[in-house]
Amino acid sequence: MKMGTALIYDEEMTKYKLLWVDPVCKIEVPERLIVSYEALVKSGLADRCVSIPVREATDAEILLAHSEEYLEAVKKTPFMHLEELMTFTQKYGDVYFHPNIYHCAKLAVGATLQLVDNVMTGKVRNGMALVRPPGHHSQSSAANGFCVFNNVAIAAQYAKKHHKAKRVLIVDWDVHHGQGVQYCFEDDPSVLYFSWHRYEHQSFWPNLKESDFDSVGSGKGAGFNVNVPWNKVGMGNSDYLAVFFHVLLPVAYEFSPDLVFICAGFDSAIGDPEGHMSATPDIFAHLTHLLMNLADGKVCAVLEGGYNLTSLAQSVCQTVQTLLGDPAPRPAQLGGACESALESIHSARSIHKKYWSCLQHAAAPFPEEPSSKNRRPAQQGGSQGPEGDAGGDAQREEEKVEEKEEEEIVWPEPLRRVAPSLRSALLLPDAVECPDGCARFSPAHGPGPLERARLRKSYLKESEDEASVTLLYNLTALLGQMEKNEIRNGLALVPDVSMAATLLTSASLSKRVLLVWMGEGPVPSQIIEDEKTLVVHINSMEPHEAQSKYYIPIPLKKGCGDTAGVMQAVLGLLLPLGYQYEPGLVLLARLPGYQVEGGLWQQLTCLLQGLALGHTLVLLQENETAPVGITASCLLGNAALSLGPLVAPGPEDVGSFERLRLRLQTDWPLLQTTAPEKR
Ligand SMILES: NCCCNCCCCCS
Ligand SMILES: [Zn+2]
């Protein structure tokens, strides 16, 4: 599987700036690129990337998304003097021209196309283009919002035309609506455009009705435009993750793109003068991670906005570090989405219910009460945990800050994300070959007699041979090295998965262990009773025992082999639970006889690595060596195989999901998808 992350940047794109007074445009400065690139160099990340040179886009490439008259008009700007540039600029909104901006705009497009070429031909797995001017606001015949040519829209057309891409996903996490991209693919079912954006009931720029959640695309493109408007400022990490888990990811997996673009604007990060949001830079590490198992990992991140030079640089580094495969950071205390975000999530899910089978259980669209549109939702109570108050507290905070105006918003610098020297250690019987890239685990020293006796007494029947004792000891040794961050993740082939899981959950030093139990066998009661272990059990059995807060069986009629069902469970239940629980260790136990298609097992193994700093320990049944290779590939950081378009999950499963979600969301608010009063 291809590895390698491309970084495309050229300082030529810093060589244009605002030449007159314009309070709207003054934030779009060359320093945006300079501080971002310097941060990548200083952190050592730039050196770990494959540096790809930029090039100028050709006319033909620019015409993939722009009219000839617009291109011809822009071509004249290098020869204009100041007054002519100002007059030319007046024709468009919230943008400025400069004698060198046409050159830079061609380089920004060319850089993006270079990224696409290298990803689509497999020279690298993914990458980032650090470009300006940005692109997502520019339209066929108009510059807008600091944008001249629509870098990502052109690149998506280019990927379809020159690389035979069939389905392209564009995730626009910039805080502004990329209306230019929406217009370009309005009726195109081969390009799924997702955007969240500050909206405030159309009172925020660009103040468009078509930025609301009910713009779903038109004609054959209906359903392939997903807008999530933020109707309040102060949205935080929980709000962003909730939108990914409950809106974007289910639809993206059903769509199954063969290429993913990120309109990577970082004005959605805390401290930004435009966004006024509260999400911290490390959240972009998780958002990137959650997209990296789509399209066999082919992800092209392209810089859009981002106007706070500190959070911009930090967020760019968080994104690139994840593209490089480094362990995800520990997410800040997550609560549930705030009430306003839940309303937006609910609106987007219900309007798209008829286009996406993964949303079929979303509640029906509410009849439009005339007042509801401009009714500002009441400040929600403090019921949703610290982050869950984002809309409330931050809103109040926001007003306070606005009064003081000058108060500088500060946030903690993201923690260093240290990759252990050894990535994947496998505990395998000697007869089983160790896949390339992994290390066969052997402990520094064997168990002493006391250790043997203790293990035998606690976990083995007298009859068990010495080999079993050694295996148990080696398991605890492997766990120990993981929890000391000397090893990132591991896999063990064991004679008895239940016993191994029991040993590991009790031996773990982590305050919280997430155990994902895949298959039909019962979870040992000792584990269920263990308060520090959250067990999520995906199986085909009917929900029988009364679930505790820490034992969550997810029944699938067709069992664990049901790709659509399992992905629904993973995206809409397991991951929100896992992120909220914030475990120090993730155990993934595959029970004997668990028949599952390789890609699905890989998706699970990869997605779970976003938790617990990547400390994932996979337990497989000794005599089932088939999954060793595909599991090891994912533990090494390769992307999971694409699943292909997903079919609808079984209707009976959908019902039990919703009942489960409704029952659990009081304890686990990140499971919420609708605002309280609407339940
Ligand atoms: N009152 C007008 C504000 C216009 N702000 C334009 C922001 C463009 C961001 C591009 S990512
Ligand atoms: Zn923006």
Side-chain angles (χ1 to χ4, degrees), residues 136-137 145-146 172 174-177 205 265-268 272 274 304-307:
H136 67 153
H137 298 301
F146 312 154
D172 189 337
D174 186 288
V175 86
H176 299 94
H177 180 220
W205 186 90
F266 297 105
D267 41 19
S268 45
D272 190 274
E274 282 280 315
E304 294 281 359
Y307 306 99

Side-chain angles (χ1 to χ4, degrees), residues 282 318 321 329-330 412-418 613:
D282 52 294
Q318 289 296 316
Q321 191 168 9
R330 211 178 263 297
E413 180 148 350
L415 297 175
R416 267 167 51 77
R417 297 158 55 185
V418 181
L613 306 180

Side-chain angles (χ1 to χ4, degrees), residues 35 55 142 180 186 208 221 289 324 330 376 396 411 413 423-424 469 476 510 542 566 603 612 624 634 664 676:
V35 300
R55 70 169 170 85
E186 180 77 27
L208 300 169
H289 168 78
L324 280 164
R330 211 178 263 297
R376 288 180 68 78
R396 281 186 285 279
W411 62 91
E413 180 148 350
R423 176 152 186 159
S424 305
V469 176
T476 52
S510 303
E542 280 305 311
V566 172
Q603 289 291 340
E624 296 185 357
C634 292
L664 291 170

Side-chain angles (χ1 to χ4, degrees), residues 212-479:
D212 209 349
F213 62 85
D214 52 0
S215 288
V216 295
S218 55
K220 294 194 306 299
F224 294 92
N225 192 82
V226 182
N227 285 337
V228 177
W230 299 125
N231 287 316
K232 284 166 63 173
V233 291
M235 295 301 168
N237 296 343
S238 305
D239 304 301
Y240 287 13
L241 285 174
V243 169
F244 264 54
F245 294 137
H246 304 308
V247 181
L248 173 60
L249 291 174
V251 167
Y253 270 90
E254 183 169 334
F255 179 64
S256 185
D258 35 43
L259 176 60
V260 177
F261 284 103
I262 303 174
C263 282
F266 297 105
D267 41 19
S268 45
I270 191 167
D272 190 274
E274 282 280 315
H276 289 220
M277 296 299 170
S278 308
T280 46
D282 52 294
I283 199 60
F284 296 104
H286 291 289
L287 302 184
T288 306
H289 168 78
L290 291 166
L291 295 172
M292 279 171 68
N293 291 290
L294 292 160
D296 299 316
K298 296 197 291 298
V299 175
C300 298
V302 183
L303 182 67
E304 294 281 359
Y307 306 99
N308 175 305
L309 301 183
T310 306
S311 60
L312 168 63
Q314 291 174 356
S315 304
V316 165
C317 288
Q318 289 296 316
T319 303
V320 170
Q321 191 168 9
T322 303
L323 290 172
L324 280 164
D326 275 11
R330 211 178 263 297
Q333 290 78 13
L334 298 173
C338 71
E339 181 168 352
S340 175
L342 287 171
E343 293 207 354
S344 303
I345 289 169
H346 170 79
S347 302
R349 282 164 59 90
S350 51
I351 204 88
H352 278 279
K353 179 181 167 68
K354 64 190 216 187
Y355 303 109
W356 300 98
S357 62
C358 61
L359 298 178
Q360 65 186 332
H361 58 284
F366 288 93
E368 193 48 55
E369 306 100 41
S371 64
S372 83
K373 243 1 200 163
N374 36 49
R375 173 174 58 78
R376 288 180 68 78
Q379 304 285 5
Q380 85 271 339
S383 66
Q384 286 164 7
E387 188 80 13
D389 270 347
D393 283 353
Q395 176 64 24
R396 281 186 285 279
E397 184 60 34
E398 193 52 39
E399 277 145 10
K400 246 183 14 239
V401 167
E402 233 128 51
E403 282 139 26
K404 283 189 210 145
E405 192 46 54
E406 286 321 302
E407 181 175 327
E408 176 76 6
I409 295 175
V410 290
W411 62 91
E413 180 148 350
L415 297 175
R416 267 167 51 77
R417 297 158 55 185
V418 181
S421 49
L422 175 58
R423 176 152 186 159
S424 305
L426 308 189
L427 197 46
L428 305 168
D430 297 345
V432 177
E433 183 193 342
C434 186
D436 290 351
C438 304
R440 186 182 289 272
F441 178 75
S442 59
H445 46 76
L450 278 183
E451 189 60 38
R452 286 186 171 283
R454 188 187 66 77
L455 286 169
R456 182 182 290 286
K457 187 163 63 63
S458 314
Y459 298 98
L460 296 170
K461 298 176 275 305
E462 272 318 303
S463 60
E464 301 273 352
D465 59 9
E466 277 312 294
S468 308
V469 176
T470 306
L471 176 87
L472 289 185
Y473 176 80
N474 290 345
L475 258 180
T476 52
L478 172 55
L479 173 66

Side-chain angles (χ1 to χ4, degrees), residues 238 242 245-246 335-337 342 345 349 552 554 569-578 580 657-674 679:
S238 305
F245 294 137
H246 304 308
L342 287 171
I345 289 169
R349 282 164 59 90
I552 300 168
I554 302 177
V570 169
L571 299 174
L573 292 168
L574 173 57
L575 289 177
L577 285 166
Q580 180 132 46
F657 267 26
E658 273 320 287
R659 286 191 297 280
L660 191 57
R661 179 204 306 283
L662 287 175
R663 189 159 42 72
L664 291 170
Q665 65 188 19
T666 314
D667 283 329
W668 304 98
L670 198 47
L671 292 179
Q672 291 168 17
T673 58
T674 56
R679 279 183 204 121

